[in-house]
Amino acid sequence: MLKNFIRNLQSSQNLTSLFWAFTNTFSIQLLSFIITIVLARVLSPEDFGVIAMIAVFIAVGRELKDSGMTSSLIRSKDHNQIDLNVVYFSNLALSIFIYIIIYFSAPLVARFYEKDILISVLRLFALVIPIGTIGSIQSTLLTKEMKFKTKLRITVPSLIIGGVVAIILALNDFGVWSLVWMNILQTSINSLQLWFYRRWMPTFDWDWRILKHHFNFGVNLTFSNLLNVVYKNIYSIIIGKFFSASILGFYDRANSLKQLPVNNVTSALTKVTYPVFAKIQDENSKLKGYYKLIIQEIIFILMPILGIAAILAKPLFLIVLGEKWLPAVPYFQILTLVGLLYPINGYNLNILKVKGRTDIYFKLSMVKKVIELGLIFIGINFGIYGLLVSQIVIAFLSLFINSYYSGKFIGYTLYEQFIDVKPIVFLNTVLLIIFFAFYHYKLNNLNDYLLLALYPIIYVFIYTFFASYFKFEALQYLKTKFFNN
């Protein structure tokens, strides 16, 4: 199965796409991380907290303006100019309409959080929704054509220019406005470049049946994604409402840092595998084999990264973000476990999208959200830590629920998934306990800089040795990827 998967990637030039998808995602994450480090040292936790308060409204706006129709385009085996026109103009009209709603709703948001500055911050920040839509079709086409190298050329200058301007503004006491202008500049430059690199021009050819086709696919997906967006940000909403902006800032930075390795691995794999899986959506045995490999790969890469990061969280925050961010350390350590389960849950749900069963996808999301709401209301009674622990419980419950449909549609049950990753989980658990003991009981005299430099290197060396000795399939794939091509 491993050889078949690699052959499939090679034959359709997806291996190259996978490399550029990883490079693209990694570059975005690395640049954003560097820019955030500089800004975090200049700006206050409260500035980041203010942006986190409005994040849900921006995310909801972005989700609604698309209505799942670009996903429908990617999934479609064939599309024509009318498909693109319909999706483009629909998204553009929706994005403008959504901006108007957000503009007039801004005072209500400010009243909810009891922060007047949110009115002007939200009204300006929300411009990223219509601006981002301008290049949405070009971006979709590049994804469908797997031209991730081109996307990299577009993204990097956008991030750098926006980031440099934000740092200059932050150094000149613009506070939270530096973060607002950074996002507007990055989105604007990105949209302009998309038109330059992927030449496509809309026409006024229109077909209502095509709109209905893409809308029918996207509507359930959209409502489901909307629920996910709201619930993904619900902790920011609750923390922003019941705690201070500074605590929200600590939570936001801890969560963002946790997502850094998670997004790098999962985003790139999703960009490449979703179009590939769509092509073999009717071949269940192939889908099962490929999903098995993907899940093994994710656990093999993410578990050591998140585990070591959790052990070294204190020196990591001290050196990278500065002493004022140390209260975020325990938040980060708890959230790393959620980060490990996040991509597995996502891939189990992807099976429903590949199978075109967005109706089940939506219903499933509804059921989970009701359960999650109950757990959040229980968790809030125990303060900020109660909320964080509730995220872990929710992640495990979601794993049980999502994997039920993996078993139903492609015969890949949760038990089989566990058996497939058990050796990787066991090896990492043993190694992480040993490394934690060395760090916690100070069995060495290394300073923080040496700890951050040496612990990951030693871990990778030992981990790779045992993974090679026990012939882990995930390691064999990585060797094939990097040394045989």
Side-chain angles (χ1 to χ4, degrees):
M1 186 56 69
L2 173 62
K3 290 178 180 177
N4 290 336
F5 183 53
I6 295 169
R7 195 179 300 119
N8 185 289
L9 287 173
Q10 287 172 330
S11 62
S12 56
Q13 296 182 331
N14 288 327
L15 203 56
T16 303
S17 299
L18 180 64
F19 170 77
W20 285 113
F22 268 116
T23 307
N24 185 34
T25 305
F26 179 74
S27 302
I28 293 170
Q29 297 290 334
L30 181 63
L31 280 171
S32 301
F33 183 60
I34 293 170
I35 292 166
T36 301
I37 287 173
V38 178
L39 289 173
R41 287 183 171 274
V42 181
L43 301 174
S44 68
E46 186 172 355
D47 292 326
F48 284 90
V50 168
I51 296 299
M53 286 176 179
I54 63 167
V56 65
F57 303 100
I58 304 300
V60 166
R62 280 175 165 154
E63 197 63 47
L64 276 176
K65 61 93 178 169
D66 180 66
S67 302
M69 289 196 281
T70 52
S71 289
S72 180
L73 274 180
I74 294 174
R75 183 180 177 274
S76 300
K77 291 180 179 177
D78 300 301
H79 69 265
N80 56 36
Q81 176 69 20
I82 301 178
D83 286 274
L84 302 180
N85 291 339
V86 166
V87 174
Y88 181 72
F89 285 117
S90 302
N91 286 357
L92 194 59
L94 272 172
S95 69
I96 294 169
F97 178 66
I98 289 162
Y99 176 75
I100 293 171
I101 291 176
I102 290 178
Y103 184 90
F104 287 106
S105 304
L108 295 175
V109 175
R111 197 178 305 161
F112 175 77
Y113 286 115
E114 299 176 359
K115 272 195 168 296
D116 290 339
I117 192 175
L118 289 177
I119 298 176
S120 44
V121 168
L122 181 55
R123 283 175 171 172
L124 187 58
F125 201 122
L127 283 172
V128 299
I129 297 170
I131 293 172
T133 307
I134 292 171
S136 60
I137 289 297
Q138 287 83 351
S139 178
T140 301
L141 289 173
L142 288 175
T143 300
K144 191 175 175 72
E145 295 158 0
M146 297 188 178
K147 293 183 177 177
F148 299 110
K149 185 178 180 181
T150 306
K151 296 195 91 167
L152 178 67
R153 287 176 179 161
I154 294 169
T155 307
V156 169
S158 309
L159 286 174
I160 291 175
I161 294 171
V164 168
V165 171
I167 291 168
I168 292 170
L169 291 175
L171 290 171
N172 286 278
D173 299 326
F174 275 75
V176 68
W177 296 106
S178 346
L179 299 171
V180 175
W181 279 110
M182 177 178 72
N183 281 278
I184 291 176
L185 277 173
Q186 288 173 344
T187 307
S188 304
I189 297 167
N190 196 68
S191 290
L192 283 174
Q193 290 187 96
L194 281 166
W195 276 80
F196 176 78
Y197 279 101
R198 181 58 176 87
R199 300 300 172 93
W200 173 79
M201 187 63 67
T203 62
F204 292 104
D205 298 316
W206 187 272
D207 189 331
W208 289 102
R209 291 171 300 177
I210 290 179
L211 176 61
K212 185 180 177 183
H213 166 74
H214 291 299
F215 181 79
N216 284 344
F217 174 86
V219 63
N220 288 321
L221 194 60
T222 299
F223 282 116
S224 180
N225 287 344
L226 271 179
L227 282 174
N228 287 334
V229 165
V230 171
Y231 277 86
K232 189 177 174 185
N233 287 278
I234 198 164
Y235 289 93
S236 295
I237 297 172
I238 291 173
I239 295 169
K241 175 64 180 173
F242 295 103
F243 301 89
S244 68
S246 296
I247 289 181
L248 178 54
F250 292 137
Y251 169 80
D252 183 62
R253 283 305 87 201
N255 193 46
S256 299
L257 196 58
K258 174 263 294 179
Q259 282 298 116
L260 185 66
V262 175
N263 287 342
N264 267 315
V265 174
T266 56
S267 296
L269 280 173
T270 301
K271 284 176 185 173
V272 174
T273 55
Y274 184 56
V276 173
F277 290 167
K279 291 177 183 174
I280 57 169
Q281 55 189 277
D282 300 322
E283 301 177 63
N284 287 345
S285 60
K286 279 188 179 179
L287 274 175
K288 180 180 176 180
Y290 296 166
Y291 269 109
K292 171 188 168 184
L293 184 61
I294 294 291
I295 288 174
Q296 283 182 331
E297 212 64 55
I298 286 171
I299 297 293
F300 184 79
I301 296 170
L302 278 184
M303 194 170 176
I305 294 175
L306 291 172
I308 285 292
I311 291 172
L312 300 177
K314 186 177 178 181
L316 180 67
F317 272 74
L318 190 62
I319 292 172
V320 173
L321 297 177
E323 193 173 353
K324 65 183 174 185
W325 291 95
L326 282 181
V329 167
Y331 300 179
F332 174 77
Q333 290 171 322
I334 294 172
L335 291 172
T336 51
L337 188 54
V338 181
L340 185 62
L341 297 179
Y342 174 83
I344 301 173
N345 280 320
Y347 277 103
N348 276 301
L349 284 176
N350 264 349
I351 291 170
L352 293 177
K353 287 200 284 184
V354 168
K355 290 289 184 183
R357 296 304 306 267
T358 53
D359 55 330
I360 297 178
Y361 187 98
F362 175 64
K363 290 173 186 172
L364 198 58
S365 297
M366 289 289 290
V367 172
K368 284 189 298 180
K369 299 319 173 196
V370 172
I371 298 172
E372 289 174 18
L373 258 185
L375 289 170
I376 288 171
F377 280 112
I378 293 172
I380 198 171
N381 290 303
F382 299 92
I384 183 70
Y385 288 105
L387 284 173
L388 295 174
V389 172
S390 72
Q391 285 200 44
I392 296 175
V393 178
I394 290 167
F396 275 104
L397 281 177
S398 297
L399 183 63
F400 282 100
I401 296 172
N402 296 339
S403 58
Y404 168 78
Y405 287 97
S406 307
K408 184 176 179 180
F409 282 102
I410 62 171
Y412 196 29
T413 63
L414 179 60
Y415 177 74
E416 287 178 281
Q417 293 180 33
F418 173 73
I419 293 298
D420 288 334
V421 300
K422 188 174 69 173
I424 302 172
V425 172
F426 179 76
L427 175 60
N428 274 292
T429 303
V430 172
L431 290 178
L432 288 171
I433 289 173
I434 295 170
F435 273 68
F436 173 76
F438 266 86
Y439 175 77
H440 185 72
Y441 295 106
K442 302 184 186 304
L443 299 178
N444 54 62
N445 295 316
L446 299 176
N447 63 36
D448 289 344
Y449 288 95
L450 282 174
L451 278 173
L452 282 182
L454 292 180
Y455 264 49
I457 294 173
I458 295 170
Y459 192 97
V460 168
F461 178 78
I462 299 173
Y463 182 50
T464 309
F465 171 79
F466 281 106
S468 181
Y469 179 79
F470 291 113
K471 297 180 179 177
F472 285 180
E473 198 173 26
L475 181 62
Q476 290 180 47
Y477 169 71
L478 289 178
K479 283 181 177 177
T480 308
K481 166 70 181 69
F482 288 105
F483 298 112
N484 293 347
N485 294 279

